[in-house]
Each structure stands twice: as structure tokens, then as C-alpha cells.
Amino acid sequence: MRLAGPLRIVALVVTVGLTWIVGSILLGGPGSGFPRIQQFFNSPESSVTAEPRARKYKCGLPQPCPEEHLAFRMVSGAANVIGPKICLEDKMLMSSVKDNVGRGLNIALVNDVNDLLKFIRPLHEGTLVFVASYDDPATKMNEETRKLFSELGSRNAKELAFRDSWVFVGAKGVQNNSPFEQHVKNSKHTNKYEGWPEALEMEGCIPRRSVAS
């Protein structure tokens, strides 16, 4: 019974010594050949320097446009809830925030034309035409309207139907179909929203029209 006190002291000393040794090993103390245990618990992301945010250029494009090109980005309306957007050279021409969009065809003309047929007929040669649908682009379009859009370079104007999604950039006087056009048919089998197809987004660089000296 007299040995109980000394044994307790020895046991305490051994426990403290073992605790110090184990802690030194796990934490990589001086002279330890073991890696620090924190390295095993650190996530890979925390040991890597955070990557800088990707730079955005005009209208949010991921790359700058070449010289003598116009940067643009367009988004058609989402169902009949979110209005379309048209951005050109970092200037928002049309959007719900600007409160200058409406259901049907939203058209921005880039030139000096101030004045759906009366609006399009008097276009000057070389005028760029930006079109983004919202809710329903086709119900009020007649054959002459579709023909005029086709003459601006549209491949899909003649087949636009009720509640289709459509974005298009054309120009007065183009000789070929425009490369800047997207079209999604309204179909109950593929619609993203109830009664409407998905919204369309298109961006790119449009070459400026060369002017003869």
C-alpha cells in the first residue's frame, strides 16, 4: 500500500512524457522527421494560391474583339417574365432595367435611323439590326415582315412561330445569311419553361463596315 503514491507519480511522469513525444511527432516539432499532421488535413485548395478572376471585356465577352470589330451580347426573353438584353460595345441598348423592352420583337438599330414595317423599311445601307424575342415574336409578323428580315440575312424569319425564342443580328445590304442567329422552336416536348422554350444567348464580334474613301 505504501508503494501506491510513488507508482502514481511514475505513472503521471510516463503519461506526460508520452504525451509530449506523441505531440512532437504529430506536430512536427524541432528535430522530428515526421511531417506535420496539419498537412494531411489541409484541403488541396488551401495550399494553392487562389487564381485571379478571368478578365471580362466589352459586354462581358471572355476575349477582346479584334480591331475594327464591334463587341455584342444578346439574350432573348425568358418566357414572359424576364425581358431580353442587347449590349453593344459595352453599352446596354435594351433591357428590363432600362425599361425599354416589351413583348414581341425588341429591335435595336445601330446607325442614324430614328424611325414593324414602317420601322424597318427606311433602313440605310449597312445599318446593323439587333433582334431579341420576348414572349412571342411571330404572331404579328406578316409575309412582308418575314421577307424584310430574310433580306437582312435571317435564315429563320420565314419559319418563326408562336412563342419561339429568337436572337438575330443582321444588316441592310448583306449578300449572305448572317452568322449571328439562333432559333429554338416552341415545343411542349422540349420547352424549358411551361409554354416557352429556353432563353437564347449570343455574343461575338461584328466587323465594322468599311467605307470607301
Side-chain angles (χ1 to χ4, degrees), residues 159-179:
E159 59 188 72
L160 281 177
F162 177 65
R163 285 186 176 174
D164 286 0
S165 286
W166 185 45
V167 288
F168 166 66
V169 181
K172 179 72 172 182
V174 298
Q175 301 300 318
N176 303 304
N177 288 332
S178 169

Side-chain angles (χ1 to χ4, degrees), residues 18-38 40:
L18 288 176
T19 302
W20 181 86
I21 293 172
V22 172
S24 178
I25 291 173
L26 293 179
L27 298 177
S32 171
F34 295 87
R36 299 191 178 202
I37 196 169
Q38 287 95 331
F40 294 101

Side-chain angles (χ1 to χ4, degrees), residues 86-147:
I86 300 178
C87 174
L88 179 68
E89 285 293 283
D90 234 15
K91 180 180 180 181
M92 191 64 68
L93 302 180
M94 307 183 78
S95 71
S96 295
V97 174
K98 293 181 70 70
D99 196 24
N100 61 351
V101 298
R103 294 179 180 178
L105 293 176
N106 290 269
I107 304 173
L109 306 180
V110 180
N111 207 324
D112 59 352
V113 180
N114 296 321
D115 273 336
L116 219 61
L117 290 176
K118 181 179 180 181
F119 193 55
I120 299 174
R121 280 174 181 155
L123 297 184
H124 296 322
E125 194 80 5
T127 297
L128 292 175
V129 181
F130 294 77
V131 186
S133 66
Y134 183 24
D135 186 12
D136 174 32
T139 300
K140 296 183 179 180
M141 292 179 68
N142 59 21
E143 288 303 314
E144 184 178 0
T145 308
R146 294 174 188 272
K147 181 175 181 294

Side-chain angles (χ1 to χ4, degrees), residues 6-70:
L7 287 177
R8 289 177 181 174
I9 295 174
V10 172
L12 178 61
V13 171
V14 172
T15 301
V16 172
L18 288 176
T19 302
W20 181 86
I21 293 172
V22 172
S24 178
I25 291 173
L26 293 179
L27 298 177
S32 171
F34 295 87
R36 299 191 178 202
I37 196 169
Q38 287 95 331
Q39 294 177 357
F40 294 101
F41 291 98
N42 284 344
S43 62
E45 293 81 0
S46 63
S47 61
V48 179
T49 304
E51 296 183 2
R53 290 184 179 180
R55 180 179 176 184
K56 293 294 185 180
Y57 296 88
K58 291 180 179 179
C59 291
L61 269 62
Q63 296 180 342
C65 288
E67 292 186 9
E68 298 304 316
H69 283 67
L70 302 172

